[in-house]
C-alpha cells in the first residue's frame, strides 16, 4: 500500500476533500491509499456536515472519517506528502526534514509532475484526458502513466527549482473555513479537478 498524505490546517475541509475525492477517482484496486491530517487539527469523530455534503455531491464517500493532527510519523510513513497550501508543506518538512523531496503542495506536485513525466517519456504526447483537470493542464493532455509511483514523484522533485516559477499563491488552495457554502463548493471543485489529474498520473500506484 502506498500512502499519499494530504495536509491542511484543521483537517476539516480541504485535506478531507482531497483524501476522499482522490479515493473516488483512483482506479479500482489501486495500491494508493489517500490519507489526511491537519497542522492544528483536534481529534474528533465524524465529518463536518458541510464538508460531507459537498463531498457526496461530487461522488465521494463521507463515512468513517476522523480528523487527526499531523505528526512526524505520518509524514515519515507517507510516500507522497501534499499540503493544500505552502504552510502545510513547510510544516511537514519541519517535522521530517528527510522527507523534503516528497513534500509538495497539491497543485505544485501536479504542475511539476505533468511536465516531469512527459520529460521522462521523452516528450511523448498522449494519454486520455480526465473528466476534470487542474489549472493549466488542458483536457486530453494529461500524460500517460509511467511505470512506477516513485518515477512520478522523482520527476516532480527533479523539476522543482528548474521549472518556470509561478506566484506562490497559485500553488495554494484557499481555506473555505467560515465562508459561504458556495465558496466551499468552489474549493471542492478545484480540489476535485486537481486530484482527478493526480489520479491519472498515479495510475495503479505501485508501491515504492
Amino acid at each position: 500500500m502506498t500512502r499519499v498524505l494530504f495536509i491542511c490546517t484543521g483537517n476539516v475541509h480541504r485535506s478531507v476533500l482531497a483524501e476522499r475525492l482522490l479515493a473516488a477517482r483512483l482506479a479500482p484496486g489501486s495500491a494508493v491509499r489517500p490519507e489526511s491530517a491537519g497542522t492544528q487539527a483536534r481529534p474528533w469523530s465524524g465529518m463536518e456536515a458541510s464538508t460531507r455534503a459537498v463531498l457526496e455531491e461530487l461522488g465521494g464517500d463521507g463515512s468513517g472519517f476522523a480528523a487527526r493532527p499531523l505528526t512526524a510519523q505520518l509524514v515519515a510513513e507517507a510516500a507522497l506528502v501534499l499540503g493544500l497550501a505552502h504552510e502545510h508543506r513547510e510544516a511537514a518538512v519541519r517535522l521530517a526534514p528527510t522527507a523534503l523531496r516528497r513534500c509538495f503542495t497539491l497543485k505544485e506536485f501536479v504542475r511539476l509532475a505533468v511536465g516531469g513525466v512527459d520529460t521522462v517519456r521523452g516528450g511523448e504526447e498522449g494519454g486520455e484526458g480526465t473528466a476534470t483537470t487542474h489549472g493549466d493542464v488542458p483536457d486530453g493532455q494529461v500524460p500517460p502513466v509511467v511505470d512506477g509511483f516513485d518515477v512520478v514523484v522523482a520527476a516532480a522533485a527533479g523539476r522543482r527549482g528548474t521549472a518556470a516559477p509561478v506566484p506562490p499563491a497559485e500553488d495554494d488552495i484557499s481555506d473555505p473555513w467560515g465562508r459561504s457554502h458556495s465558496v466551499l463548493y468552489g474549493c471542492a471543485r478545484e480540489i476535485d479537478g486537481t486530484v482527478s489529474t493526480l489520479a491519472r498520473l498515479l495510475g495503479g500506484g505501485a508501491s515504492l
Side-chain angles (χ1 to χ4, degrees):
M1 193 66 69
T2 302
R3 295 180 175 179
V4 175
L5 178 66
F6 295 100
I7 306 168
C8 70
T9 303
N11 197 201
V12 172
H13 293 311
R14 290 171 291 176
S15 59
V16 179
L17 290 164
E19 173 193 336
R20 294 306 175 93
L21 287 170
L22 177 59
R25 306 302 177 233
L26 287 166
S30 172
V32 173
R33 178 181 172 181
E35 300 181 340
S36 64
T39 57
Q40 299 178 30
R42 298 179 181 180
W44 63 298
S45 298
M47 187 177 293
E48 205 275 339
S50 62
T51 305
R52 184 164 186 164
V54 297
L55 170 66
E56 293 181 346
E57 185 173 346
L58 293 172
D61 181 3
S63 64
F65 177 80
R68 59 181 180 173
L70 181 66
T71 66
Q73 182 175 354
L74 287 174
V75 176
E77 291 176 349
L80 178 61
V81 180
L82 300 173
L84 274 292
H86 281 78
E87 64 194 83
H88 308 126
R89 181 194 66 192
E90 291 164 3
V93 174
R94 285 195 299 271
L95 286 170
T98 58
L100 175 62
R101 283 185 60 82
R102 47 193 170 86
C103 293
F104 305 81
T105 72
L106 169 59
K107 291 175 70 174
E108 174 193 25
F109 180 78
V110 170
R111 174 173 58 82
L112 295 175
V114 165
V117 168
D118 186 65
T119 300
V120 167
R121 295 185 66 92
E124 138 187 356
E125 292 184 4
E128 296 179 358
T130 54
T132 52
T133 56
H134 156 58
D136 57 356
V137 184
D139 187 45
Q141 294 185 21
V142 179
V145 177
V146 296
D147 294 330
F149 181 100
D150 54 337
V151 177
V152 180
V153 176
R159 293 194 74 225
R160 186 157 48 190
T162 63
V166 301
E170 288 191 13
D171 279 338
D172 291 352
I173 294 177
S174 299
D175 191 354
W177 174 262
R179 303 180 70 183
S180 67
H181 178 271
S182 63
V183 170
L184 175 59
Y185 184 73
C187 174
R189 291 277 297 178
E190 182 179 15
I191 290 170
D192 191 25
T194 313
V195 300
S196 292
T197 302
L198 177 62
R200 178 71 185 90
L201 284 163
L202 299 183
S207 298
L208 289 169

